[in-house]
Amino acid sequence: MKIAVIHGPNLRLLGRREPEVYGSATLEEIDDALLELGEELGAAVEIFQSNSEGQLLDHVEELMDRVDGIVINPAAYTHTSVALRDGLAAAGLPFVEVHLSNTSARERFRKHSYLAPMAVGTVQGFGKESYLLGLRGLIAHLKRP
Ligand code: DQA
């Protein structure tokens, strides 16, 4: 089983970026934990980060015939990107949307996600753990007969 993890814009700065909102874990720490959990659960995990909407779209297109599912934190593009929504719909891959913070408890503009209605599920509010729960959930979904 192959799973792609995608981090959207500004997530490279985790650890230094608003730690009171996003926690103290760095992106590298999150990635290490995802790779370790993937190994434990029998899935090959590959990881990509970009600040650029175009690069994220190109990457989703490239994953299309290559992986079984996606764990994505679309970051700010969650609330703005019809293009990312359409790209994921075109790829037709099952995906889980994750967020470090609980976007429902924050500013009004964060309450809407263009992607969530198409996701297998969403996990938010658990910091680094959101990614790990999302990966577990996606793998369980893919293993379901
Ligand atoms: C985020 C929440 C988004 O609203 C925000 O734009 C981010 C991070 C999160 O993981 O909590 O960049 O996706």
Side-chain angles (χ1 to χ4, degrees), residues 9 11 17 22 73-76 78-79 98-101 103 106 110:
L11 295 172
R17 176 190 179 202
Y22 298 117
N73 183 348
T78 309
H79 320 297
V98 303
H99 298 283
L100 297 143
S101 64
T103 56
R106 299 182 62 197
R110 292 186 207 274

Side-chain angles (χ1 to χ4, degrees), residues 6-12 48-60 72-77 80-81 83-84:
I6 300 178
H7 304 290
N10 300 312
L11 295 172
R12 248 188 322 236
F48 179 81
Q49 190 279 332
S50 180
N51 290 335
S52 150
E53 191 173 15
Q55 279 184 17
L56 292 168
L57 294 175
D58 289 344
H59 186 65
V60 168
I72 183 166
N73 183 348
Y77 294 140
T80 63
S81 183
L84 191 54

